[in-house]
């Protein structure tokens, strides 16, 4: 008796399950089984659980392991998915190329900015050096003038036959003849 009942219930549950799954599968387009497989499985499980509850059973889980479609139709789906993947890869490649190009533009702009800053710094350094040299020369001339005036006040007029003006290297004043007069 128990074996008969078990076989009877088992056959009934298999028949109900097959009918509900086929009925639910008809609600979806074949490509959706690739793109929304998990969602479709959840909907089939809910429908199957509802039908089995009416017969005193329930569906704990449902996993779609294999979906049999006509070979030509399945091949078309595979080709469609391959084309979708190729398109996606092309988009990724285009985005990568665009990013690389933008990076090159950014690098070029940064290098140009660096070159401009460097050139400006060098020019400012040159100006500062020239100003410092001019100020130093001016200070030397002023100091020599002050010393000369002080010497004139002490020793009186001096006749020069040769005078070397200050240069970057060394300042030299040559006095060939000096006539001293007492005041």
């Amino acid at each position: 008796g128990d074996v008969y009942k078990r076989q009877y219930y088992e056959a009934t549950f298999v028949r109900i399950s097959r009918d509900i799954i086929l009925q639910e599968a008809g609600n979806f387009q074949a490509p959706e089984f690739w793109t929304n497989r998990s969602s479709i499985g959840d909907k089939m499980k809910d429908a199957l659980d509802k039908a089995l509850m009416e017969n005193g059973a329930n569906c704990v889980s449902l996993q779609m392991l294999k979906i049999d479609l006509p070979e030509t139709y399945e091949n078309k789906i595979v080709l469609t998915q391959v084309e979708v993947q190729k398109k996606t890869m092309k988009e990724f490649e285009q985005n990568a190329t665009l990013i690389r190009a933008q990076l090159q533009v950014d690098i070029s702009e940064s290098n140009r900015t660096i070159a401009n800053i460097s050139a400006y710094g060098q020019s400012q350094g040159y100006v500062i050096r020239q100003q410092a040299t001019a100020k130093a020369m001016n200070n030397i001339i002023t100091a020599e003038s002050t010393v000369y005036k002080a010497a004139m006040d002490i020793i009186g007029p001096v006749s020069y036959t040769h005078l070397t003006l200050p240069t970057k290297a060394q300042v030299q004043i040559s006095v060939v003849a000096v006539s001293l007069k007492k005041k």
Side-chain angles (χ1 to χ4, degrees):
D2 285 343
V3 171
Y4 175 74
K5 284 183 184 178
R6 195 167 117 192
Q7 285 179 345
Y8 173 72
Y9 286 117
E10 187 175 318
T12 300
F13 294 147
V14 167
R15 182 187 50 77
I16 290 171
S17 298
R18 185 178 335 114
D19 291 346
I20 293 298
I21 289 172
L22 287 174
Q23 182 181 358
E24 283 298 311
N27 293 331
F28 303 100
Q29 297 291 323
E32 291 179 280
F33 284 94
W34 284 68
T35 58
N36 298 326
R37 189 179 192 120
S38 178
S39 174
I40 292 172
D42 291 343
K43 289 177 183 175
M44 285 183 172
K45 181 207 169 285
D46 292 343
L48 184 57
D49 193 39
K50 182 179 176 185
L52 289 174
M53 282 193 164
E54 292 173 2
N55 291 284
N58 69 324
C59 177
V60 176
S61 75
L62 174 70
Q63 185 178 13
M64 292 188 288
L65 299 177
K66 182 179 177 189
I67 300 170
D68 288 325
L69 298 170
E71 189 173 336
T72 56
Y73 193 68
E74 190 165 336
N75 288 341
K76 286 181 182 179
I77 292 173
V78 169
L79 288 175
T80 300
Q81 288 303 313
V82 167
E83 290 303 316
V84 167
Q85 289 175 0
K86 284 180 182 178
K87 180 183 174 200
T88 303
M89 287 299 294
K90 282 286 186 196
E91 288 171 359
F92 285 141
E93 288 172 4
Q94 288 173 345
N95 285 339
T97 301
L98 182 63
I99 289 168
R100 281 192 294 276
Q102 185 59 47
L103 283 172
Q104 287 302 319
V105 168
D106 291 346
I107 288 169
S108 294
E109 287 177 0
S110 295
N111 287 338
R112 182 178 47 84
T113 301
I114 290 168
N116 287 343
I117 291 170
S118 179
Y120 179 75
Q122 288 177 358
S123 70
Q124 289 301 305
Y126 178 77
V127 167
I128 291 168
R129 282 190 302 278
Q130 292 301 317
Q131 288 173 342
T133 300
K135 184 156 178 87
M137 295 295 287
N138 188 34
N139 289 344
I140 290 170
I141 291 170
T142 302
E144 287 178 350
S145 174
T146 303
V147 168
Y148 175 71
K149 186 174 183 224
M152 290 291 286
D153 288 343
I154 294 171
I155 61 171
V158 176
S159 66
Y160 293 97
T161 55
H162 180 72
L163 175 65
T164 303
L165 295 175
T167 63
K168 284 186 177 181
Q170 186 178 29
V171 176
Q172 181 179 5
I173 298 177
S174 301
V175 178
V176 175
V178 177
S179 71
L180 299 173
K181 295 182 185 175
K182 276 195 171 187
K183 288 186 181 185

